[in-house]
PDB file of all heavy atoms in Angstrom:
ATOM      1  N   GLU L 496     -14.643   1.978 -14.798  1.00 76.00           N
ATOM      2  CA  GLU L 496     -14.449   3.391 -15.099  1.00 76.00           C
ATOM      3  C   GLU L 496     -15.594   4.243 -14.555  1.00 76.00           C
ATOM      4  O   GLU L 496     -15.394   5.345 -14.101  1.00 76.00           O
ATOM      5  CB  GLU L 496     -14.315   3.556 -16.639  1.00 76.00           C
ATOM      6  CG  GLU L 496     -12.989   2.975 -17.131  1.00 76.00           C
ATOM      7  CD  GLU L 496     -13.041   2.506 -18.575  1.00 76.00           C
ATOM      8  OE1 GLU L 496     -14.032   2.790 -19.277  1.00 76.00           O
ATOM      9  OE2 GLU L 496     -12.080   1.820 -18.989  1.00 76.00           O
ATOM     10  N   PHE L 497     -16.823   3.694 -14.596  1.00 80.00           N
ATOM     11  CA  PHE L 497     -17.921   4.380 -13.973  1.00 80.00           C
ATOM     12  C   PHE L 497     -17.685   4.500 -12.469  1.00 80.00           C
ATOM     13  O   PHE L 497     -17.984   5.545 -11.863  1.00 80.00           O
ATOM     14  CB  PHE L 497     -19.241   3.607 -14.207  1.00 80.00           C
ATOM     15  CG  PHE L 497     -19.792   3.760 -15.581  1.00 80.00           C
ATOM     16  CD1 PHE L 497     -19.793   2.672 -16.465  1.00 80.00           C
ATOM     17  CD2 PHE L 497     -20.321   4.957 -16.037  1.00 80.00           C
ATOM     18  CE1 PHE L 497     -20.306   2.809 -17.755  1.00 80.00           C
ATOM     19  CE2 PHE L 497     -20.839   5.098 -17.305  1.00 80.00           C
ATOM     20  CZ  PHE L 497     -20.826   4.008 -18.179  1.00 80.00           C
ATOM     21  N   GLU L 498     -17.136   3.454 -11.875  1.00 79.00           N
ATOM     22  CA  GLU L 498     -16.900   3.459 -10.411  1.00 79.00           C
ATOM     23  C   GLU L 498     -15.830   4.491 -10.033  1.00 79.00           C
ATOM     24  O   GLU L 498     -15.936   5.168  -9.022  1.00 79.00           O
ATOM     25  CB  GLU L 498     -16.470   2.074  -9.945  1.00 79.00           C
ATOM     26  CG  GLU L 498     -17.593   1.034 -10.073  1.00 79.00           C
ATOM     27  CD  GLU L 498     -17.122  -0.372  -9.791  1.00 79.00           C
ATOM     28  OE1 GLU L 498     -15.891  -0.577  -9.641  1.00 79.00           O
ATOM     29  OE2 GLU L 498     -17.984  -1.308  -9.737  1.00 79.00           O
ATOM     30  N   ILE L 499     -14.816   4.643 -10.902  1.00 74.00           N
ATOM     31  CA  ILE L 499     -13.754   5.621 -10.616  1.00 74.00           C
ATOM     32  C   ILE L 499     -14.311   7.037 -10.645  1.00 74.00           C
ATOM     33  O   ILE L 499     -14.077   7.852  -9.760  1.00 74.00           O
ATOM     34  CB  ILE L 499     -12.601   5.495 -11.646  1.00 74.00           C
ATOM     35  CG1 ILE L 499     -11.851   4.177 -11.401  1.00 74.00           C
ATOM     36  CG2 ILE L 499     -11.640   6.677 -11.554  1.00 74.00           C
ATOM     37  CD1 ILE L 499     -10.843   3.860 -12.486  1.00 74.00           C
ATOM     38  N   VAL L 500     -15.137   7.330 -11.682  1.00 76.00           N
ATOM     39  CA  VAL L 500     -15.746   8.642 -11.785  1.00 76.00           C
ATOM     40  C   VAL L 500     -16.670   8.920 -10.600  1.00 76.00           C
ATOM     41  O   VAL L 500     -16.663   9.983  -9.997  1.00 76.00           O
ATOM     42  CB  VAL L 500     -16.529   8.776 -13.107  1.00 76.00           C
ATOM     43  CG1 VAL L 500     -17.283  10.109 -13.157  1.00 76.00           C
ATOM     44  CG2 VAL L 500     -15.571   8.692 -14.296  1.00 76.00           C
ATOM     45  N   ALA L 501     -17.466   7.918 -10.205  1.00 78.00           N
ATOM     46  CA  ALA L 501     -18.383   8.081  -9.077  1.00 78.00           C
ATOM     47  C   ALA L 501     -17.607   8.310  -7.792  1.00 78.00           C
ATOM     48  O   ALA L 501     -18.004   9.130  -6.947  1.00 78.00           O
ATOM     49  CB  ALA L 501     -19.270   6.830  -8.951  1.00 78.00           C
ATOM     50  N   ASN L 502     -16.481   7.622  -7.609  1.00 76.00           N
ATOM     51  CA  ASN L 502     -15.679   7.802  -6.410  1.00 76.00           C
ATOM     52  C   ASN L 502     -15.097   9.221  -6.337  1.00 76.00           C
ATOM     53  O   ASN L 502     -15.068   9.834  -5.258  1.00 76.00           O
ATOM     54  CB  ASN L 502     -14.541   6.786  -6.394  1.00 76.00           C
ATOM     55  CG  ASN L 502     -13.709   6.855  -5.130  1.00 76.00           C
ATOM     56  OD1 ASN L 502     -14.237   6.885  -4.026  1.00 76.00           O
ATOM     57  ND2 ASN L 502     -12.398   6.894  -5.322  1.00 76.00           N
ATOM     58  N   LEU L 503     -14.681   9.746  -7.481  1.00 69.00           N
ATOM     59  CA  LEU L 503     -14.125  11.108  -7.509  1.00 69.00           C
ATOM     60  C   LEU L 503     -15.213  12.131  -7.187  1.00 69.00           C
ATOM     61  O   LEU L 503     -15.007  13.082  -6.424  1.00 69.00           O
ATOM     62  CB  LEU L 503     -13.514  11.413  -8.863  1.00 69.00           C
ATOM     63  CG  LEU L 503     -12.205  10.634  -9.226  1.00 69.00           C
ATOM     64  CD1 LEU L 503     -11.830  10.927 -10.663  1.00 69.00           C
ATOM     65  CD2 LEU L 503     -11.095  11.022  -8.286  1.00 69.00           C
ATOM     66  N   LEU L 504     -16.423  11.923  -7.763  1.00 74.00           N
ATOM     67  CA  LEU L 504     -17.522  12.852  -7.491  1.00 74.00           C
ATOM     68  C   LEU L 504     -17.982  12.808  -6.040  1.00 74.00           C
ATOM     69  O   LEU L 504     -18.360  13.846  -5.469  1.00 74.00           O
ATOM     70  CB  LEU L 504     -18.719  12.531  -8.417  1.00 74.00           C
ATOM     71  CG  LEU L 504     -18.523  12.838  -9.887  1.00 74.00           C
ATOM     72  CD1 LEU L 504     -19.680  12.267 -10.704  1.00 74.00           C
ATOM     73  CD2 LEU L 504     -18.414  14.327 -10.100  1.00 74.00           C
ATOM     74  N   SER L 505     -17.920  11.634  -5.410  1.00 76.00           N
ATOM     75  CA  SER L 505     -18.379  11.506  -4.032  1.00 76.00           C
ATOM     76  C   SER L 505     -17.547  12.324  -3.065  1.00 76.00           C
ATOM     77  O   SER L 505     -17.983  12.583  -1.938  1.00 76.00           O
ATOM     78  CB  SER L 505     -18.340  10.024  -3.608  1.00 76.00           C
ATOM     79  OG  SER L 505     -17.015   9.542  -3.554  1.00 76.00           O
ATOM     80  N   ARG L 506     -16.320  12.724  -3.467  1.00 73.00           N
ATOM     81  CA  ARG L 506     -15.466  13.514  -2.599  1.00 73.00           C
ATOM     82  C   ARG L 506     -15.795  14.989  -2.654  1.00 73.00           C
ATOM     83  O   ARG L 506     -15.132  15.791  -1.962  1.00 73.00           O
ATOM     84  CB  ARG L 506     -14.006  13.292  -2.980  1.00 73.00           C
ATOM     85  CG  ARG L 506     -13.562  11.845  -2.875  1.00 73.00           C
ATOM     86  CD  ARG L 506     -12.142  11.650  -3.278  1.00 73.00           C
ATOM     87  NE  ARG L 506     -11.732  10.233  -3.220  1.00 73.00           N
ATOM     88  CZ  ARG L 506     -10.515   9.790  -3.474  1.00 73.00           C
ATOM     89  NH1 ARG L 506      -9.547  10.658  -3.791  1.00 73.00           N
ATOM     90  NH2 ARG L 506     -10.260   8.507  -3.442  1.00 73.00           N
ATOM     91  N   LEU L 507     -16.810  15.369  -3.448  1.00 72.00           N
ATOM     92  CA  LEU L 507     -17.167  16.769  -3.603  1.00 72.00           C
ATOM     93  C   LEU L 507     -18.343  17.167  -2.728  1.00 72.00           C
ATOM     94  O   LEU L 507     -18.971  18.197  -2.961  1.00 72.00           O
ATOM     95  CB  LEU L 507     -17.459  17.086  -5.077  1.00 72.00           C
ATOM     96  CG  LEU L 507     -16.349  16.783  -6.076  1.00 72.00           C
ATOM     97  CD1 LEU L 507     -16.813  17.072  -7.502  1.00 72.00           C
ATOM     98  CD2 LEU L 507     -15.089  17.600  -5.724  1.00 72.00           C
ATOM     99  N   GLY L 508     -18.655  16.377  -1.745  1.00 74.00           N
ATOM    100  CA  GLY L 508     -19.768  16.721  -0.832  1.00 74.00           C
ATOM    101  C   GLY L 508     -21.057  16.005  -1.202  1.00 74.00           C
ATOM    102  O   GLY L 508     -21.082  15.041  -1.988  1.00 74.00           O
ATOM    103  N   GLY L 511     -22.057  16.059  -4.886  1.00 74.00           N
ATOM    104  CA  GLY L 511     -21.159  15.181  -5.634  1.00 74.00           C
ATOM    105  C   GLY L 511     -21.501  13.717  -5.432  1.00 74.00           C
ATOM    106  O   GLY L 511     -21.464  12.909  -6.375  1.00 74.00           O
ATOM    107  N   ALA L 512     -21.899  13.371  -4.196  1.00 77.00           N
ATOM    108  CA  ALA L 512     -22.287  11.975  -3.924  1.00 77.00           C
ATOM    109  C   ALA L 512     -23.522  11.578  -4.724  1.00 77.00           C
ATOM    110  O   ALA L 512     -23.635  10.465  -5.231  1.00 77.00           O
ATOM    111  CB  ALA L 512     -22.505  11.799  -2.422  1.00 77.00           C
ATOM    112  N   GLY L 515     -22.530  11.043  -8.139  1.00 78.00           N
ATOM    113  CA  GLY L 515     -21.821   9.768  -8.203  1.00 78.00           C
ATOM    114  C   GLY L 515     -22.778   8.582  -8.284  1.00 78.00           C
ATOM    115  O   GLY L 515     -22.566   7.616  -9.015  1.00 78.00           O
TER     116      GLY L 515
END
Side-chain angles (χ1 to χ4, degrees):
E496 291 153 11
F497 286 111
E498 292 172 353
I499 291 171
V500 174
N502 183 50
L503 291 173
L504 290 171
S505 67
R506 300 180 182 182
L507 301 178

